[in-house]
Amino acid sequence: MKISNVRLYDGHEYTNPTKKYSVTIEEGRITRIKEEERKTENGETVDGMERVLSPAFHDSHMHFLRYGLMKRELDLRHVTSWEEMKKEVLEYYPEMENGDWIVGRGLDDSEFKDRNDLLTGKDLDELHLHTYMFFLHQDGHECIVNHKVMDLLKDEEEFNEIPDAFKETDDSGEWTGRFKDSAVHFIKHHFRGRSSEDAKDAIKHGIPHMLKYGITTIHTDDLNFIGSYDRLWNAYTGLEEEGELPIRVYLHHYIFKRQHLHDFLERHQERTGEGTEHVKVGAVKIFLDGTQRLHTSAMRIPYKDQPDTNGILIYTQEELNELVRVAGENRMQVAMHAIGDQAVEQAITALEQKEARTDTYHHRIIHAQTLGEDLLYRLEKLKPTIETQPSFLMGEWDQKVKWVGEDLAPYCDAFKSIVNRGIPYTLSSDLPIGSIDPFEGMFAAVNRTDLTGNPSGGWQPQEKLTVNEAYRGYTSMPTIIELNEPHNSGTLSEGERADFILLDRHPMEVSSDELNNIRVVETWHNGKKVYSL
């Protein structure tokens, strides 16, 4: 099959918006790219109507199962009051979770109009629904549960190993029902398990949304939402066998302690990059700290607005070194959540170990929202992949200085400094926390503003990316971390697998403040059209 009369763009060789090409596709690969002066008339040729053919997108960091579940569970993102939330819960409860748990996601009770304080487990008990209740904050780092769930937690010995700083208490030292970071992950992982069939249904709900935005490869941390890597693997491979998985998936394995890693290595033969054609083992996912909003991300100096804390490191350096060492010795890539500069420093130190084999397995540091000159220097030498989420800037730019101070602000979300030093990087969503649309991520990386243009000129404008650099963050750069994948460069080249999209406009012919308005017209996977606007 040939697609003619198309313009090409990949952020590398093909950036001219005026030239037209024909692209030949055979057996799921791009076999020929030819510049042409006019449309080729041929019965086997599809007229591309001067649309822009581009590599499909890779999202290197998301929680896809959670996103799919949000399409079925109670979505609280629009709720603005406690009274409204109670009404929603009582109305939708009969439809949720087969009467098991009441689950809500996307909550932001700090914005409730009818309260000056945050919700607690005591408030949830007012609903008089004698079952388990779990409500997840919109950023995924905080939850509220009722006393029935807290009673479960009191019987869990492993929960006692989680730092007390992640378990909010009242003046009497009793849990309030609000939990943070690692405590949230524990609750999701241990009590929110699902069957493979249930997970398959949620995944199927989410796939059309991936294809709509041109995403055909994802790296996802789903374990907390199903409780078993075996069930997770079976869900995705089951869909693949049924011909209902038109995306490629890398499945991370979240661990909290050493035993979790050893258990995985003993139970599973596949290592990072191994698996089926469409479903492969991803990285070992490790949380090193929390989040800046909760002042739990680990900083080297105290928070400016809370000088009594500089956040929390979950592991000692020795503990993390061992986890990374064991992973590297067993052909496993590591992806470490590290937001504060102290956590990033800890990750770098662990990855500098010879046994980590960072140059072979392309280990990853997720977020790295606060850096420093010394950390950039070490990252330049080490070259792990930094996974960024530019869309976060849209809602956080006006909080950064309050958290880290004027001196560190220039090292926050330092995208351009990372690129200039030759440090591998990706742009990603952290879906469902960030925007699913790659063009919104690119908009944020290029403009460093929210969608209304604030702040004028962009926040820390010296860290703006070019359009080409931002585009490569969703296409060619993620392929570095996709091990054992031939014909996968994220560029337009002969021999490349035919995962591509057609766009309504060329990224180089629109102004930077219009990037987010570019639309995917078609998505192709393995040389077959899987989405059309």
Side-chain angles (χ1 to χ4, degrees):
M1 185 195 75
K2 181 187 294 183
I3 301 178
S4 69
N5 193 28
V6 290
R7 298 177 291 159
L8 303 184
Y9 179 71
D10 64 0
H12 286 276
E13 178 182 354
Y14 297 104
T15 58
N16 187 328
T18 63
K19 291 184 178 181
K20 299 180 182 65
Y21 298 82
S22 64
V23 179
T24 303
I25 301 160
E26 298 176 348
E27 298 181 352
R29 303 269 178 82
I30 295 174
T31 58
R32 189 180 186 192
I33 299 174
K34 181 182 178 182
E35 187 175 350
E36 58 182 25
E37 295 299 325
R38 56 188 177 82
K39 182 174 67 174
T40 303
E41 297 295 339
N42 188 305
E44 300 177 356
T45 299
V46 175
D47 182 3
M49 297 186 293
E50 297 189 8
R51 290 169 174 162
V52 181
L53 190 147
S54 163
F57 296 130
H58 302 232
D59 193 320
S60 64
H61 179 63
M62 67 165 57
H63 308 272
F64 184 51
L65 181 55
R66 176 185 169 194
Y67 178 76
L69 291 167
M70 285 184 71
K71 300 302 175 185
R72 303 167 48 208
E73 297 179 345
L74 186 56
D75 187 347
L76 299 174
R77 287 176 292 182
H78 66 286
V79 171
T80 60
S81 71
W82 173 224
E83 288 302 316
E84 185 181 0
M85 177 176 167
K86 286 192 288 186
K87 180 181 177 181
E88 295 259 331
V89 171
L90 293 172
E91 181 178 350
Y92 289 101
Y93 169 56
E95 303 176 18
M96 297 166 56
E97 297 283 313
N98 296 319
D100 181 13
W101 285 56
I102 301 176
V103 177
R105 307 178 187 280
L107 174 68
D108 187 0
D109 53 336
S110 67
E111 297 295 323
F112 279 1
K113 299 176 181 178
D114 57 352
R115 298 182 66 106
N116 294 319
D117 58 340
L118 300 177
L119 296 178
T120 66
K122 184 177 179 181
D123 294 310
L124 301 185
D125 292 337
E126 291 180 10
L127 292 165
H128 300 297
L129 296 174
H130 303 292
T131 187
Y132 304 105
M133 300 185 199
F134 173 91
F135 297 98
L136 190 65
H137 190 275
Q138 63 178 9
D139 67 6
H141 285 271
E142 189 175 21
C143 72
I144 311 162
V145 301
N146 65 343
H147 281 85
K148 194 171 179 68
V149 176
M150 284 188 266
D151 289 340
L152 284 177
L153 295 174
K154 290 174 183 177
D155 295 329
E156 292 291 326
E157 182 177 341
E158 191 172 324
F159 193 70
N160 294 328
E161 301 175 23
I162 294 174
D164 289 338
F166 296 143
K167 310 165 187 175
E168 184 179 279
T169 57
D170 58 22
D171 293 338
S172 302
E174 297 295 323
W175 292 341
T176 66
R178 296 187 75 93
F179 297 97
K180 305 173 184 178
D181 299 310
S182 292
V184 178
H185 305 318
F186 181 93
I187 296 169
K188 292 185 297 186
H189 181 73
H190 286 76
F191 302 128
R192 300 291 303 121
R194 293 171 173 81
S195 69
S196 291
E197 288 302 314
D198 195 25
K200 284 169 65 176
D201 186 52
I203 293 164
K204 287 165 69 174
H205 274 77
I207 286 173
H209 300 271
M210 296 294 106
L211 302 179
K212 176 182 177 180
Y213 291 100
I215 302 166
T216 61
T217 300
I218 65 172
H219 299 243
T220 181
D221 176 13
D222 290 348
L223 188 57
N224 285 328
F225 296 92
I226 191 169
S228 162
Y229 198 84
D230 290 331
R231 289 200 299 272
L232 183 66
W233 185 266
N234 290 337
Y236 280 99
T237 55
L239 287 173
E240 180 183 16
E241 291 168 2
E242 295 164 14
E244 297 193 57
L245 191 69
I247 58 175
R248 304 175 197 276
V249 183
Y250 290 80
L251 297 178
H252 290 345
H253 188 282
Y254 165 70
I255 66 169
F256 175 64
K257 59 183 183 178
R258 171 184 174 181
Q259 190 58 46
H260 296 156
L261 177 56
H262 285 286
D263 288 347
F264 175 83
L265 295 173
E266 289 178 4
R267 290 172 57 87
H268 301 274
Q269 293 183 346
E270 290 90 356
R271 299 294 183 253
T272 299
E274 299 175 356
T276 67
E277 181 182 354
H278 284 75
V279 184
K280 299 183 186 298
V281 174
V284 175
K285 174 74 177 293
I286 310 174
F287 280 83
L288 305 191
D289 65 349
T291 181
Q292 288 177 321
R293 180 183 69 84
L294 298 172
H295 299 88
T296 52
S297 62
M299 302 292 295
R300 296 191 286 191
I301 60 174
Y303 283 87
K304 294 301 180 181
D305 59 337
Q306 285 197 22
D308 59 336
T309 182
N310 61 337
I312 303 164
L313 279 178
I314 297 174
Y315 302 96
T316 66
Q317 189 68 60
E318 291 72 22
E319 289 171 334
L320 182 61
N321 286 351
E322 181 181 11
L323 290 175
V324 172
R325 205 163 48 233
V326 171
E329 291 171 344
N330 286 274
R331 309 195 323 276
M332 289 297 295
Q333 189 182 78
V334 172
M336 291 177 281
H337 165 113
I339 288 181
D341 56 356
Q342 188 180 18
V344 174
E345 182 175 45
Q346 189 184 53
I348 293 171
T349 299
L351 294 178
E352 286 172 336
Q353 299 176 101
K354 180 180 179 181
E355 298 88 345
R357 301 186 65 187
T358 300
D359 57 342
T360 299
Y361 295 117
H362 303 287
H363 300 305
R364 305 143 76 163
I365 300 177
I366 306 168
H367 307 305
Q369 288 183 347
T370 311
L371 298 173
E373 199 64 35
D374 61 321
L375 301 180
L376 285 166
Y377 174 75
R378 292 170 69 184
L379 289 169
E380 184 177 4
K381 293 179 63 178
L382 183 64
K383 288 189 170 24
T385 297
I386 306 299
E387 295 184 3
T388 70
Q389 297 75 40
S391 67
F392 287 3
L393 269 176
M394 295 181 181
E396 293 183 348
W397 65 266
D398 58 345
Q399 303 293 312
K400 295 285 186 176
V401 173
K402 181 182 73 173
W403 293 330
V404 307
E406 294 284 355
D407 291 342
L408 269 182
Y411 294 99
C412 289
D413 302 289
F415 308 145
K416 190 67 170 184
S417 294
I418 289 169
V419 172
N420 285 346
R421 291 172 180 261
I423 301 166
Y425 68 98
T426 68
L427 274 60
S428 59
S429 66
D430 204 355
L431 191 71
I433 302 167
S435 171
I436 185 177
D437 186 355
F439 283 108
E440 281 198 20
M442 292 179 221
F443 175 98
V446 170
N447 295 290
R448 293 182 72 89
T449 68
D450 62 24
L451 293 177
T452 62
N454 292 313
S456 178
W459 187 76
Q460 302 296 332
Q462 74 280 0
E463 294 298 335
K464 292 180 179 180
L465 295 185
T466 67
V467 174
N468 287 339
E469 290 165 345
Y471 209 88
R472 294 196 292 263
Y474 280 108
T475 52
S476 60
M477 294 305 297
T479 66
I480 295 172
I481 55 178
E482 294 165 2
L483 309 182
N484 305 322
E485 278 275 25
H487 315 291
N488 177 39
S489 67
T491 65
L492 295 178
S493 55
E494 295 178 357
E496 177 81 355
R497 66 192 189 194
D499 285 10
F500 61 88
I501 54 181
L502 294 179
L503 306 175
D504 64 349
R505 282 178 284 178
H506 198 292
M508 300 303 291
E509 67 180 0
V510 303
S511 61
S512 64
D513 59 358
E514 286 287 316
L515 275 173
N516 61 305
N517 293 324
I518 296 176
R519 292 290 175 262
V520 174
V521 178
E522 294 180 7
T523 300
W524 292 63
H525 172 71
N526 274 356
K528 297 180 180 179
K529 187 192 302 184
V530 290
Y531 166 79
S532 181
L533 183 64

